[in-house]
Structures are given as C-alpha cells and as structure tokens.
Amino acid sequence: EKDAIVVSNKPIKEKDTLTDGYKIIPMTFSATLQKETGNYINGKKEGLWTRYNSYKIEPPFYWDKILETNYKLGGKNGKQIIFSSDDTIMIGTFVNGQEQGMGKLFDMNYPHKLQKTWNTENGQYTMLAEYYPSGHLKSRYTDTTINSKQLKAFKTYYETGQVESLGFYNNNKLD
C-alpha cells in the first residue's frame, strides 16, 4: 500500500480494503486536488479568482482550469465561467452574490455548441432559447404585451429551420 496524499490529516490510499461482515472487499480510491488563485482585500475575495483541479495524486501535478469567478467585496460579482478541458461550458452573471442577467450553457463535447440561453432576474430563471446539438435553433422565448397582458411568446423549430409551433404562456401556463 502506498500513501498518495494527506487531506485533513487523514491519508488517502490508492488501494485499500473494506470489511463487510466476513467479506473483505478490495477498494480503489481516487482523489481530486483543487487549488484557487486570487486576491483578498480586507479578508474578502476581490477580483478574478480561478479554480483548478488535478486528478494526479502525486507530483508532478497537472492543473486543469475548471472555474473563473469575479468577486467584489467577497461576493460573486460579474461573470462566472465553468470550463471543461480549458473550453467554456457555462457562463453566468452575478450581481452582489446573486445570479442576475444572461447565462449560456454549451455542449460538453467538442465543438461545444451553444445549448441554452437564459436570463435571471430577482431569482427567477427565464429560458430565452434552446438549440439542437447541430447548433440550429430549437426554440425561442420572448416577452411580449398583447391587450395590456404580459405574455411569454414561444416559437419552436424543426432542425431544418422551419417553424414547428408558436404560442404564448400566461403566468407559466400555455395560453
């Protein structure tokens, strides 16, 4: 048995066993190391912070960037970007620690095409658009007013680009 790394003074071993009654079950463990870089001002996170993961448990460590978050006075403020293999997977926007504004989700697989866009306002998520894996528009949602009624208009598309359906939501119910 070989000790790989110590976390919270408790060794994580590459191989170990688990005893269940009279059975001894061989176990293989894995660990993910994380590190963050950024600045503190008066004990609070400030500016751009970057988080990295390493799946190696002994040197040399190879660090993959997984997250960039902007901070102001210790709270998330500005863009937060989630990465996979150094490619952008999700972008969100924060104001005073709360998600606020437009967000984007990208496909995890290369070439990381846009999957969804949304807007967050006062804790409420509103879908703006969804896309097929090919990148073609699947559905679009827009705010509209008809006869003094606030409605959410939607339009869905076939992958060929032809309109499939359209309609309105009123208070999150199909109108």
Side-chain angles (χ1 to χ4, degrees), residues 39-69:
N39 292 309
Y40 284 97
I41 296 180
N42 296 325
K44 295 181 180 180
K45 290 182 177 182
E46 190 69 32
L48 180 64
W49 277 70
T50 306
R51 184 179 301 162
Y52 302 89
N53 274 355
S54 177
Y55 298 100
K56 290 197 57 149
I57 55 175
E58 53 189 45
F61 301 112
Y62 298 100
W63 297 101
D64 294 323
K65 179 168 51 172
I66 61 164
L67 181 69
E68 285 183 350
T69 306

PDB file of all heavy atoms in Angstrom, residues 39-69:
ATOM      1  N   ASN A  39      -7.093  37.189  -5.134  1.00  0.00           N
ATOM      2  CA  ASN A  39      -6.649  38.144  -4.126  1.00  0.00           C
ATOM      3  C   ASN A  39      -7.714  38.355  -3.062  1.00  0.00           C
ATOM      4  O   ASN A  39      -8.910  38.327  -3.351  1.00  0.00           O
ATOM      5  CB  ASN A  39      -6.358  39.508  -4.773  1.00  0.00           C
ATOM      6  CG  ASN A  39      -5.154  39.442  -5.678  1.00  0.00           C
ATOM      7  OD1 ASN A  39      -4.103  38.962  -5.282  1.00  0.00           O
ATOM      8  ND2 ASN A  39      -5.309  39.911  -6.900  1.00  0.00           N
ATOM      9  N   TYR A  40      -7.233  38.582  -1.858  1.00  0.00           N
ATOM     10  CA  TYR A  40      -8.093  39.005  -0.756  1.00  0.00           C
ATOM     11  C   TYR A  40      -7.800  40.466  -0.469  1.00  0.00           C
ATOM     12  O   TYR A  40      -6.650  40.883  -0.473  1.00  0.00           O
ATOM     13  CB  TYR A  40      -7.791  38.212   0.526  1.00  0.00           C
ATOM     14  CG  TYR A  40      -8.330  36.814   0.549  1.00  0.00           C
ATOM     15  CD1 TYR A  40      -7.524  35.733   0.217  1.00  0.00           C
ATOM     16  CD2 TYR A  40      -9.641  36.571   0.919  1.00  0.00           C
ATOM     17  CE1 TYR A  40      -8.019  34.440   0.254  1.00  0.00           C
ATOM     18  CE2 TYR A  40     -10.140  35.280   0.963  1.00  0.00           C
ATOM     19  CZ  TYR A  40      -9.325  34.227   0.630  1.00  0.00           C
ATOM     20  OH  TYR A  40      -9.817  32.958   0.670  1.00  0.00           O
ATOM     21  N   ILE A  41      -8.835  41.225  -0.200  1.00  0.00           N
ATOM     22  CA  ILE A  41      -8.685  42.584   0.294  1.00  0.00           C
ATOM     23  C   ILE A  41      -9.532  42.674   1.555  1.00  0.00           C
ATOM     24  O   ILE A  41     -10.736  42.398   1.523  1.00  0.00           O
ATOM     25  CB  ILE A  41      -9.118  43.638  -0.758  1.00  0.00           C
ATOM     26  CG1 ILE A  41      -8.186  43.564  -1.967  1.00  0.00           C
ATOM     27  CG2 ILE A  41      -9.129  45.038  -0.147  1.00  0.00           C
ATOM     28  CD1 ILE A  41      -8.502  44.537  -3.074  1.00  0.00           C
ATOM     29  N   ASN A  42      -8.885  43.008   2.646  1.00  0.00           N
ATOM     30  CA  ASN A  42      -9.550  43.059   3.956  1.00  0.00           C
ATOM     31  C   ASN A  42     -10.275  41.756   4.270  1.00  0.00           C
ATOM     32  O   ASN A  42     -11.399  41.751   4.772  1.00  0.00           O
ATOM     33  CB  ASN A  42     -10.516  44.241   4.037  1.00  0.00           C
ATOM     34  CG  ASN A  42      -9.809  45.567   3.941  1.00  0.00           C
ATOM     35  OD1 ASN A  42      -8.685  45.722   4.432  1.00  0.00           O
ATOM     36  ND2 ASN A  42     -10.438  46.523   3.280  1.00  0.00           N
ATOM     37  N   GLY A  43      -9.628  40.616   3.945  1.00  0.00           N
ATOM     38  CA  GLY A  43     -10.181  39.305   4.263  1.00  0.00           C
ATOM     39  C   GLY A  43     -11.286  38.831   3.347  1.00  0.00           C
ATOM     40  O   GLY A  43     -11.896  37.798   3.614  1.00  0.00           O
ATOM     41  N   LYS A  44     -11.582  39.559   2.267  1.00  0.00           N
ATOM     42  CA  LYS A  44     -12.656  39.173   1.350  1.00  0.00           C
ATOM     43  C   LYS A  44     -12.101  38.984  -0.053  1.00  0.00           C
ATOM     44  O   LYS A  44     -11.208  39.701  -0.477  1.00  0.00           O
ATOM     45  CB  LYS A  44     -13.754  40.241   1.324  1.00  0.00           C
ATOM     46  CG  LYS A  44     -14.454  40.379   2.662  1.00  0.00           C
ATOM     47  CD  LYS A  44     -15.534  41.425   2.595  1.00  0.00           C
ATOM     48  CE  LYS A  44     -16.205  41.522   3.964  1.00  0.00           C
ATOM     49  NZ  LYS A  44     -17.261  42.500   3.971  1.00  0.00           N
ATOM     50  N   LYS A  45     -12.676  38.004  -0.771  1.00  0.00           N
ATOM     51  CA  LYS A  45     -12.250  37.770  -2.145  1.00  0.00           C
ATOM     52  C   LYS A  45     -12.538  39.006  -2.980  1.00  0.00           C
ATOM     53  O   LYS A  45     -13.591  39.628  -2.840  1.00  0.00           O
ATOM     54  CB  LYS A  45     -12.980  36.564  -2.746  1.00  0.00           C
ATOM     55  CG  LYS A  45     -12.545  35.239  -2.152  1.00  0.00           C
ATOM     56  CD  LYS A  45     -13.273  34.077  -2.814  1.00  0.00           C
ATOM     57  CE  LYS A  45     -12.768  32.754  -2.262  1.00  0.00           C
ATOM     58  NZ  LYS A  45     -13.421  31.610  -2.924  1.00  0.00           N
ATOM     59  N   GLU A  46     -11.571  39.334  -3.872  1.00  0.00           N
ATOM     60  CA  GLU A  46     -11.718  40.519  -4.723  1.00  0.00           C
ATOM     61  C   GLU A  46     -11.106  40.235  -6.086  1.00  0.00           C
ATOM     62  O   GLU A  46     -10.028  39.649  -6.191  1.00  0.00           O
ATOM     63  CB  GLU A  46     -11.025  41.713  -4.072  1.00  0.00           C
ATOM     64  CG  GLU A  46     -11.309  43.028  -4.727  1.00  0.00           C
ATOM     65  CD  GLU A  46     -12.746  43.523  -4.555  1.00  0.00           C
ATOM     66  OE1 GLU A  46     -13.362  43.244  -3.511  1.00  0.00           O
ATOM     67  OE2 GLU A  46     -13.230  44.193  -5.469  1.00  0.00           O
ATOM     68  N   GLY A  47     -11.821  40.625  -7.140  1.00  0.00           N
ATOM     69  CA  GLY A  47     -11.312  40.458  -8.496  1.00  0.00           C
ATOM     70  C   GLY A  47     -11.500  39.037  -9.001  1.00  0.00           C
ATOM     71  O   GLY A  47     -12.342  38.287  -8.524  1.00  0.00           O
ATOM     72  N   LEU A  48     -10.680  38.668  -9.978  1.00  0.00           N
ATOM     73  CA  LEU A  48     -10.794  37.364 -10.620  1.00  0.00           C
ATOM     74  C   LEU A  48     -10.161  36.267  -9.772  1.00  0.00           C
ATOM     75  O   LEU A  48      -9.003  36.370  -9.378  1.00  0.00           O
ATOM     76  CB  LEU A  48     -10.124  37.402 -12.005  1.00  0.00           C
ATOM     77  CG  LEU A  48     -10.162  36.100 -12.793  1.00  0.00           C
ATOM     78  CD1 LEU A  48     -11.595  35.712 -13.139  1.00  0.00           C
ATOM     79  CD2 LEU A  48      -9.323  36.227 -14.054  1.00  0.00           C
ATOM     80  N   TRP A  49     -10.935  35.215  -9.518  1.00  0.00           N
ATOM     81  CA  TRP A  49     -10.453  34.013  -8.845  1.00  0.00           C
ATOM     82  C   TRP A  49     -10.572  32.856  -9.830  1.00  0.00           C
ATOM     83  O   TRP A  49     -11.558  32.747 -10.553  1.00  0.00           O
ATOM     84  CB  TRP A  49     -11.291  33.715  -7.601  1.00  0.00           C
ATOM     85  CG  TRP A  49     -10.833  34.509  -6.421  1.00  0.00           C
ATOM     86  CD1 TRP A  49     -10.969  35.851  -6.239  1.00  0.00           C
ATOM     87  CD2 TRP A  49     -10.134  34.019  -5.298  1.00  0.00           C
ATOM     88  NE1 TRP A  49     -10.401  36.227  -5.055  1.00  0.00           N
ATOM     89  CE2 TRP A  49      -9.886  35.110  -4.449  1.00  0.00           C
ATOM     90  CE3 TRP A  49      -9.709  32.762  -4.903  1.00  0.00           C
ATOM     91  CZ2 TRP A  49      -9.219  34.979  -3.240  1.00  0.00           C
ATOM     92  CZ3 TRP A  49      -9.047  32.634  -3.694  1.00  0.00           C
ATOM     93  CH2 TRP A  49      -8.807  33.739  -2.882  1.00  0.00           C
ATOM     94  N   THR A  50      -9.560  31.995  -9.842  1.00  0.00           N
ATOM     95  CA  THR A  50      -9.545  30.851 -10.744  1.00  0.00           C
ATOM     96  C   THR A  50      -9.349  29.583  -9.930  1.00  0.00           C
ATOM     97  O   THR A  50      -8.496  29.526  -9.056  1.00  0.00           O
ATOM     98  CB  THR A  50      -8.409  30.990 -11.782  1.00  0.00           C
ATOM     99  OG1 THR A  50      -8.548  32.263 -12.445  1.00  0.00           O
ATOM    100  CG2 THR A  50      -8.461  29.888 -12.818  1.00  0.00           C
ATOM    101  N   ARG A  51     -10.172  28.572 -10.227  1.00  0.00           N
ATOM    102  CA  ARG A  51     -10.080  27.272  -9.552  1.00  0.00           C
ATOM    103  C   ARG A  51      -9.568  26.238 -10.545  1.00  0.00           C
ATOM    104  O   ARG A  51      -9.960  26.219 -11.706  1.00  0.00           O
ATOM    105  CB  ARG A  51     -11.440  26.832  -9.016  1.00  0.00           C
ATOM    106  CG  ARG A  51     -11.361  25.523  -8.226  1.00  0.00           C
ATOM    107  CD  ARG A  51     -12.697  25.100  -7.677  1.00  0.00           C
ATOM    108  NE  ARG A  51     -13.217  26.141  -6.809  1.00  0.00           N
ATOM    109  CZ  ARG A  51     -14.493  26.226  -6.468  1.00  0.00           C
ATOM    110  NH1 ARG A  51     -15.370  25.358  -6.913  1.00  0.00           N
ATOM    111  NH2 ARG A  51     -14.897  27.188  -5.671  1.00  0.00           N
ATOM    112  N   TYR A  52      -8.680  25.366 -10.049  1.00  0.00           N
ATOM    113  CA  TYR A  52      -8.069  24.313 -10.860  1.00  0.00           C
ATOM    114  C   TYR A  52      -8.254  22.963 -10.169  1.00  0.00           C
ATOM    115  O   TYR A  52      -8.298  22.889  -8.948  1.00  0.00           O
ATOM    116  CB  TYR A  52      -6.568  24.546 -11.002  1.00  0.00           C
ATOM    117  CG  TYR A  52      -6.202  25.868 -11.613  1.00  0.00           C
ATOM    118  CD1 TYR A  52      -6.028  26.998 -10.822  1.00  0.00           C
ATOM    119  CD2 TYR A  52      -6.011  25.985 -12.989  1.00  0.00           C
ATOM    120  CE1 TYR A  52      -5.678  28.219 -11.383  1.00  0.00           C
ATOM    121  CE2 TYR A  52      -5.652  27.205 -13.556  1.00  0.00           C
ATOM    122  CZ  TYR A  52      -5.495  28.312 -12.741  1.00  0.00           C
ATOM    123  OH  TYR A  52      -5.144  29.503 -13.301  1.00  0.00           O
ATOM    124  N   ASN A  53      -8.349  21.899 -10.964  1.00  0.00           N
ATOM    125  CA  ASN A  53      -8.371  20.524 -10.462  1.00  0.00           C
ATOM    126  C   ASN A  53      -7.156  19.793 -10.984  1.00  0.00           C
ATOM    127  O   ASN A  53      -6.710  20.044 -12.103  1.00  0.00           O
ATOM    128  CB  ASN A  53      -9.599  19.762 -10.974  1.00  0.00           C
ATOM    129  CG  ASN A  53     -10.823  19.968 -10.124  1.00  0.00           C
ATOM    130  OD1 ASN A  53     -10.780  20.610  -9.084  1.00  0.00           O
ATOM    131  ND2 ASN A  53     -11.940  19.435 -10.579  1.00  0.00           N
ATOM    132  N   SER A  54      -6.650  18.857 -10.176  1.00  0.00           N
ATOM    133  CA  SER A  54      -5.643  17.913 -10.630  1.00  0.00           C
ATOM    134  C   SER A  54      -6.121  16.527 -10.239  1.00  0.00           C
ATOM    135  O   SER A  54      -6.503  16.290  -9.094  1.00  0.00           O
ATOM    136  CB  SER A  54      -4.282  18.179  -9.986  1.00  0.00           C
ATOM    137  OG  SER A  54      -3.364  17.186 -10.416  1.00  0.00           O
ATOM    138  N   TYR A  55      -6.118  15.622 -11.201  1.00  0.00           N
ATOM    139  CA  TYR A  55      -6.543  14.257 -10.927  1.00  0.00           C
ATOM    140  C   TYR A  55      -5.355  13.357 -10.625  1.00  0.00           C
ATOM    141  O   TYR A  55      -5.527  12.185 -10.346  1.00  0.00           O
ATOM    142  CB  TYR A  55      -7.358  13.727 -12.116  1.00  0.00           C
ATOM    143  CG  TYR A  55      -8.595  14.556 -12.316  1.00  0.00           C
ATOM    144  CD1 TYR A  55      -8.650  15.539 -13.292  1.00  0.00           C
ATOM    145  CD2 TYR A  55      -9.694  14.409 -11.491  1.00  0.00           C
ATOM    146  CE1 TYR A  55      -9.769  16.335 -13.451  1.00  0.00           C
ATOM    147  CE2 TYR A  55     -10.825  15.197 -11.635  1.00  0.00           C
ATOM    148  CZ  TYR A  55     -10.851  16.161 -12.623  1.00  0.00           C
ATOM    149  OH  TYR A  55     -11.958  16.951 -12.760  1.00  0.00           O
ATOM    150  N   LYS A  56      -4.167  13.927 -10.664  1.00  0.00           N
ATOM    151  CA  LYS A  56      -2.972  13.185 -10.269  1.00  0.00           C
ATOM    152  C   LYS A  56      -2.809  13.336  -8.765  1.00  0.00           C
ATOM    153  O   LYS A  56      -3.046  14.394  -8.216  1.00  0.00           O
ATOM    154  CB  LYS A  56      -1.749  13.718 -11.004  1.00  0.00           C
ATOM    155  CG  LYS A  56      -1.783  13.385 -12.493  1.00  0.00           C
ATOM    156  CD  LYS A  56      -0.443  13.532 -13.127  1.00  0.00           C
ATOM    157  CE  LYS A  56       0.527  12.680 -12.415  1.00  0.00           C
ATOM    158  NZ  LYS A  56       1.610  12.107 -13.029  1.00  0.00           N
ATOM    159  N   ILE A  57      -2.403  12.262  -8.124  1.00  0.00           N
ATOM    160  CA  ILE A  57      -2.295  12.323  -6.676  1.00  0.00           C
ATOM    161  C   ILE A  57      -0.856  12.394  -6.176  1.00  0.00           C
ATOM    162  O   ILE A  57      -0.606  12.342  -4.988  1.00  0.00           O
ATOM    163  CB  ILE A  57      -3.032  11.137  -6.019  1.00  0.00           C
ATOM    164  CG1 ILE A  57      -2.528   9.810  -6.567  1.00  0.00           C
ATOM    165  CG2 ILE A  57      -4.528  11.274  -6.222  1.00  0.00           C
ATOM    166  CD1 ILE A  57      -3.114   8.597  -5.878  1.00  0.00           C
ATOM    167  N   GLU A  58       0.063  12.505  -7.122  1.00  0.00           N
ATOM    168  CA  GLU A  58       1.454  12.728  -6.720  1.00  0.00           C
ATOM    169  C   GLU A  58       2.130  13.579  -7.790  1.00  0.00           C
ATOM    170  O   GLU A  58       1.699  13.599  -8.938  1.00  0.00           O
ATOM    171  CB  GLU A  58       2.193  11.409  -6.492  1.00  0.00           C
ATOM    172  CG  GLU A  58       2.125  10.432  -7.627  1.00  0.00           C
ATOM    173  CD  GLU A  58       2.693   9.068  -7.229  1.00  0.00           C
ATOM    174  OE1 GLU A  58       2.382   8.569  -6.140  1.00  0.00           O
ATOM    175  OE2 GLU A  58       3.457   8.531  -8.040  1.00  0.00           O
ATOM    176  N   PRO A  59       3.159  14.305  -7.410  1.00  0.00           N
ATOM    177  CA  PRO A  59       3.817  15.206  -8.365  1.00  0.00           C
ATOM    178  C   PRO A  59       4.380  14.443  -9.557  1.00  0.00           C
ATOM    179  O   PRO A  59       4.743  13.286  -9.421  1.00  0.00           O
ATOM    180  CB  PRO A  59       4.935  15.833  -7.542  1.00  0.00           C
ATOM    181  CG  PRO A  59       4.562  15.605  -6.120  1.00  0.00           C
ATOM    182  CD  PRO A  59       3.732  14.363  -6.089  1.00  0.00           C
ATOM    183  N   PRO A  60       4.473  15.049 -10.712  1.00  0.00           N
ATOM    184  CA  PRO A  60       4.071  16.426 -10.982  1.00  0.00           C
ATOM    185  C   PRO A  60       2.555  16.508 -11.194  1.00  0.00           C
ATOM    186  O   PRO A  60       1.950  15.641 -11.810  1.00  0.00           O
ATOM    187  CB  PRO A  60       4.809  16.764 -12.287  1.00  0.00           C
ATOM    188  CG  PRO A  60       4.919  15.444 -12.994  1.00  0.00           C
ATOM    189  CD  PRO A  60       5.065  14.414 -11.900  1.00  0.00           C
ATOM    190  N   PHE A  61       1.942  17.545 -10.635  1.00  0.00           N
ATOM    191  CA  PHE A  61       0.510  17.757 -10.779  1.00  0.00           C
ATOM    192  C   PHE A  61       0.244  18.510 -12.072  1.00  0.00           C
ATOM    193  O   PHE A  61       0.975  19.419 -12.427  1.00  0.00           O
ATOM    194  CB  PHE A  61      -0.035  18.571  -9.600  1.00  0.00           C
ATOM    195  CG  PHE A  61       0.199  17.913  -8.271  1.00  0.00           C
ATOM    196  CD1 PHE A  61       1.080  18.462  -7.361  1.00  0.00           C
ATOM    197  CD2 PHE A  61      -0.464  16.749  -7.943  1.00  0.00           C
ATOM    198  CE1 PHE A  61       1.294  17.858  -6.135  1.00  0.00           C
ATOM    199  CE2 PHE A  61      -0.251  16.129  -6.721  1.00  0.00           C
ATOM    200  CZ  PHE A  61       0.633  16.683  -5.818  1.00  0.00           C
ATOM    201  N   TYR A  62      -0.786  18.107 -12.773  1.00  0.00           N
ATOM    202  CA  TYR A  62      -1.222  18.816 -13.978  1.00  0.00           C
ATOM    203  C   TYR A  62      -2.561  19.457 -13.642  1.00  0.00           C
ATOM    204  O   TYR A  62      -3.516  18.763 -13.304  1.00  0.00           O
ATOM    205  CB  TYR A  62      -1.338  17.859 -15.169  1.00  0.00           C
ATOM    206  CG  TYR A  62      -0.021  17.232 -15.511  1.00  0.00           C
ATOM    207  CD1 TYR A  62       0.284  15.947 -15.099  1.00  0.00           C
ATOM    208  CD2 TYR A  62       0.942  17.957 -16.209  1.00  0.00           C
ATOM    209  CE1 TYR A  62       1.512  15.376 -15.388  1.00  0.00           C
ATOM    210  CE2 TYR A  62       2.176  17.390 -16.506  1.00  0.00           C
ATOM    211  CZ  TYR A  62       2.452  16.109 -16.094  1.00  0.00           C
ATOM    212  OH  TYR A  62       3.676  15.555 -16.386  1.00  0.00           O
ATOM    213  N   TRP A  63      -2.621  20.768 -13.689  1.00  0.00           N
ATOM    214  CA  TRP A  63      -3.795  21.509 -13.244  1.00  0.00           C
ATOM    215  C   TRP A  63      -4.675  21.899 -14.426  1.00  0.00           C
ATOM    216  O   TRP A  63      -4.218  22.527 -15.364  1.00  0.00           O
ATOM    217  CB  TRP A  63      -3.365  22.756 -12.471  1.00  0.00           C
ATOM    218  CG  TRP A  63      -2.612  22.406 -11.223  1.00  0.00           C
ATOM    219  CD1 TRP A  63      -1.268  22.438 -11.055  1.00  0.00           C
ATOM    220  CD2 TRP A  63      -3.160  21.950  -9.999  1.00  0.00           C
ATOM    221  NE1 TRP A  63      -0.930  22.033  -9.788  1.00  0.00           N
ATOM    222  CE2 TRP A  63      -2.088  21.726  -9.109  1.00  0.00           C
ATOM    223  CE3 TRP A  63      -4.453  21.697  -9.551  1.00  0.00           C
ATOM    224  CZ2 TRP A  63      -2.269  21.270  -7.810  1.00  0.00           C
ATOM    225  CZ3 TRP A  63      -4.640  21.243  -8.247  1.00  0.00           C
ATOM    226  CH2 TRP A  63      -3.549  21.037  -7.398  1.00  0.00           C
ATOM    227  N   ASP A  64      -5.955  21.515 -14.362  1.00  0.00           N
ATOM    228  CA  ASP A  64      -6.949  21.894 -15.361  1.00  0.00           C
ATOM    229  C   ASP A  64      -7.805  23.023 -14.788  1.00  0.00           C
ATOM    230  O   ASP A  64      -8.343  22.893 -13.689  1.00  0.00           O
ATOM    231  CB  ASP A  64      -7.890  20.726 -15.691  1.00  0.00           C
ATOM    232  CG  ASP A  64      -7.190  19.572 -16.379  1.00  0.00           C
ATOM    233  OD1 ASP A  64      -6.295  19.844 -17.196  1.00  0.00           O
ATOM    234  OD2 ASP A  64      -7.550  18.412 -16.096  1.00  0.00           O
ATOM    235  N   LYS A  65      -7.930  24.100 -15.543  1.00  0.00           N
ATOM    236  CA  LYS A  65      -8.777  25.213 -15.104  1.00  0.00           C
ATOM    237  C   LYS A  65     -10.233  24.764 -15.202  1.00  0.00           C
ATOM    238  O   LYS A  65     -10.672  24.288 -16.244  1.00  0.00           O
ATOM    239  CB  LYS A  65      -8.527  26.442 -15.972  1.00  0.00           C
ATOM    240  CG  LYS A  65      -9.376  27.630 -15.588  1.00  0.00           C
ATOM    241  CD  LYS A  65      -8.950  28.921 -16.243  1.00  0.00           C
ATOM    242  CE  LYS A  65      -8.791  28.839 -17.718  1.00  0.00           C
ATOM    243  NZ  LYS A  65      -8.555  30.127 -18.347  1.00  0.00           N
ATOM    244  N   ILE A  66     -11.005  24.905 -14.099  1.00  0.00           N
ATOM    245  CA  ILE A  66     -12.405  24.486 -14.120  1.00  0.00           C
ATOM    246  C   ILE A  66     -13.377  25.629 -13.858  1.00  0.00           C
ATOM    247  O   ILE A  66     -14.563  25.502 -14.162  1.00  0.00           O
ATOM    248  CB  ILE A  66     -12.681  23.344 -13.110  1.00  0.00           C
ATOM    249  CG1 ILE A  66     -12.387  23.782 -11.675  1.00  0.00           C
ATOM    250  CG2 ILE A  66     -11.899  22.094 -13.492  1.00  0.00           C
ATOM    251  CD1 ILE A  66     -12.978  22.878 -10.629  1.00  0.00           C
ATOM    252  N   LEU A  67     -12.891  26.755 -13.307  1.00  0.00           N
ATOM    253  CA  LEU A  67     -13.820  27.820 -12.930  1.00  0.00           C
ATOM    254  C   LEU A  67     -13.101  29.155 -12.811  1.00  0.00           C
ATOM    255  O   LEU A  67     -12.002  29.222 -12.263  1.00  0.00           O
ATOM    256  CB  LEU A  67     -14.449  27.475 -11.571  1.00  0.00           C
ATOM    257  CG  LEU A  67     -15.473  28.412 -10.972  1.00  0.00           C
ATOM    258  CD1 LEU A  67     -16.769  28.386 -11.779  1.00  0.00           C
ATOM    259  CD2 LEU A  67     -15.776  28.007  -9.532  1.00  0.00           C
ATOM    260  N   GLU A  68     -13.716  30.196 -13.354  1.00  0.00           N
ATOM    261  CA  GLU A  68     -13.274  31.575 -13.125  1.00  0.00           C
ATOM    262  C   GLU A  68     -14.469  32.347 -12.593  1.00  0.00           C
ATOM    263  O   GLU A  68     -15.546  32.299 -13.191  1.00  0.00           O
ATOM    264  CB  GLU A  68     -12.811  32.237 -14.426  1.00  0.00           C
ATOM    265  CG  GLU A  68     -11.467  31.798 -14.920  1.00  0.00           C
ATOM    266  CD  GLU A  68     -11.037  32.542 -16.177  1.00  0.00           C
ATOM    267  OE1 GLU A  68     -11.852  33.272 -16.784  1.00  0.00           O
ATOM    268  OE2 GLU A  68      -9.865  32.380 -16.553  1.00  0.00           O
ATOM    269  N   THR A  69     -14.264  33.029 -11.486  1.00  0.00           N
ATOM    270  CA  THR A  69     -15.346  33.806 -10.876  1.00  0.00           C
ATOM    271  C   THR A  69     -14.816  35.178 -10.488  1.00  0.00           C
ATOM    272  O   THR A  69     -13.739  35.285  -9.903  1.00  0.00           O
ATOM    273  CB  THR A  69     -15.890  33.103  -9.617  1.00  0.00           C
ATOM    274  OG1 THR A  69     -16.256  31.767  -9.951  1.00  0.00           O
ATOM    275  CG2 THR A  69     -17.101  33.821  -9.059  1.00  0.00           C
TER     276      THR A  69
END
